[in-house]
Amino acid sequence: MSLFALFFVEIVTHNYASKAVEKIREAEELSLDEKDNRKDAAYFDEEKAVKETEDVLELSHNSDAGSNSIKDIDGTAQQDCCKLQEVSKNRAEEKYLNQMISVSILEFGIVFHSVFIGLSLAVAGDEFKTLFVVLIFCQMFGRLGLGTRIAETDWPRNRKYTPWLFALAFTLCTPVAVAVGLGVRHSFAPFSRGALLVNGICDAISSGILIYTGVADLMAHGFFYSDSFKGTDSFKLKLYAYFIMCLGAGIMALIGKWA
């Protein structure tokens, strides 16, 4: 609750800070424009006279230097276009790498956690029905989040099969784990000291990965740096997404009551 409350304060503070920065920039731009207008008005006549004189002097040289000037302009334009293309390409590659890292971490956390979910379901006793319903909701929400991240990633042409491999991995991990659990059901002691230690350590690792992904990628990066929350109604959209996120966390906490 403190985490969500602090994040709400950050959303509101970030909104007011952004507005304050915009007002300061607008004021500075207006101040600079006023100074430039005064300066232009004061020296307009003098600059006009100097310009007319320079035009007369340069008129005689235009016929000889015309071709060289055109070449220089074309060369400069080509250099600017190349620089812009290079900057755009670097930004696209940086965005793809960040998305790839985020998806990979989330994929690993969900797959790692789903393996032990499948094993727990396979060796469950009387609590099977309750655990089965709870895990359906848990797996559904986890795969919705991961599937959204995979769909939003700008995959290059040479990586067009990667999202399908990711989808196949998190689709098969739980059924395969259930099959393994069924195979060792009679020889596996789920409440033994070794089994509890392994299960607890692996669950702790999974929860750490998923909490980090939720806080760092979803809350911090997704809310403040994503293109989805930019525009005139960005603050309202952030609040709407925030309350939806709180609702989802509340439902998962309620489901955890029976898990």
Side-chain angles (χ1 to χ4, degrees), residues 185-201:
R185 177 180 177 85
H186 299 289
S187 60
F188 178 69
F191 297 105
S192 63
R193 178 181 176 84
L196 291 176
L197 281 173
V198 172
N199 194 18
I201 291 173

Side-chain angles (χ1 to χ4, degrees), residues 10-251:
E10 186 175 0
I11 289 177
V12 177
T13 305
H14 188 271
N15 177 67
Y16 285 107
S18 299
K19 289 183 177 180
V21 171
E22 289 179 0
K23 290 181 180 180
I24 292 173
R25 288 178 179 176
E26 290 177 356
E28 291 179 350
E29 289 177 357
L30 290 174
S31 179
L32 291 174
D33 290 339
E34 290 179 358
K35 291 181 180 179
D36 292 338
N37 291 334
R38 292 176 184 175
K39 184 177 180 180
D40 292 341
Y43 296 98
F44 177 75
D45 295 335
E46 182 178 354
E47 290 178 356
K48 184 178 180 181
V50 172
K51 189 175 182 303
E52 290 177 353
T53 304
E54 291 176 350
D55 290 340
V56 172
L57 293 175
E58 291 178 359
L59 186 61
S60 60
H61 301 284
N62 285 341
S63 59
D64 296 332
S67 59
N68 293 331
S69 299
I70 293 174
K71 291 181 182 179
D72 293 338
I73 292 173
D74 291 339
T76 304
Q78 291 178 358
Q79 291 178 358
D80 292 339
C81 290
C82 292
K83 289 180 180 179
L84 289 174
Q85 290 177 355
E86 184 177 357
V87 170
S88 178
K89 182 179 179 180
N90 292 336
R91 289 181 178 177
E93 290 179 353
E94 183 180 1
K95 182 180 179 181
Y96 166 71
L97 289 176
N98 291 332
Q99 290 176 330
M100 185 66 179
I101 293 172
S102 176
V103 170
S104 300
I105 293 175
L106 186 59
E107 171 91 11
F108 176 76
I110 290 179
V111 169
F112 192 73
H113 182 58
S114 298
V115 170
F116 293 93
I117 286 178
L119 290 173
S120 301
L121 185 64
V123 299
D126 297 334
E127 71 278 7
F128 175 81
K129 293 182 180 180
T130 303
L131 186 61
F132 181 69
V133 175
V134 169
L135 294 184
I136 286 177
F137 282 97
C138 177
Q139 294 289 287
M140 181 182 68
F141 288 128
R143 275 141 182 76
L144 281 174
L146 180 57
T148 303
R149 285 302 181 92
I150 293 175
E152 288 181 346
T153 304
D154 298 326
W155 302 100
R157 292 183 178 179
N158 59 343
R159 300 280 185 177
K160 62 180 180 179
Y161 296 110
T162 303
W164 297 99
L165 295 176
F166 276 132
L168 184 65
F170 75 70
T171 301
L172 296 179
C173 60
T174 302
V176 170
V178 170
V180 173
L182 291 174
V184 300
R185 177 180 177 85
H186 299 289
S187 60
F188 178 69
F191 297 105
S192 63
R193 178 181 176 84
L196 291 176
L197 281 173
V198 172
N199 194 18
I201 291 173
C202 293
D203 282 346
I205 294 174
S206 300
S207 63
I209 294 172
L210 296 176
I211 289 173
Y212 174 81
T213 304
V215 174
D217 292 334
L218 172 63
M219 297 174 69
H221 187 273
F223 273 76
F224 296 117
Y225 303 105
S226 175
D227 295 334
S228 302
F229 295 103
K230 292 182 180 180
T232 55
D233 296 331
S234 60
F235 182 61
K236 293 182 180 179
L237 189 60
K238 282 182 182 179
L239 290 181
Y240 177 74
Y242 170 80
F243 288 117
I244 293 296
M245 181 180 64
C246 291
L247 178 62
I251 293 175

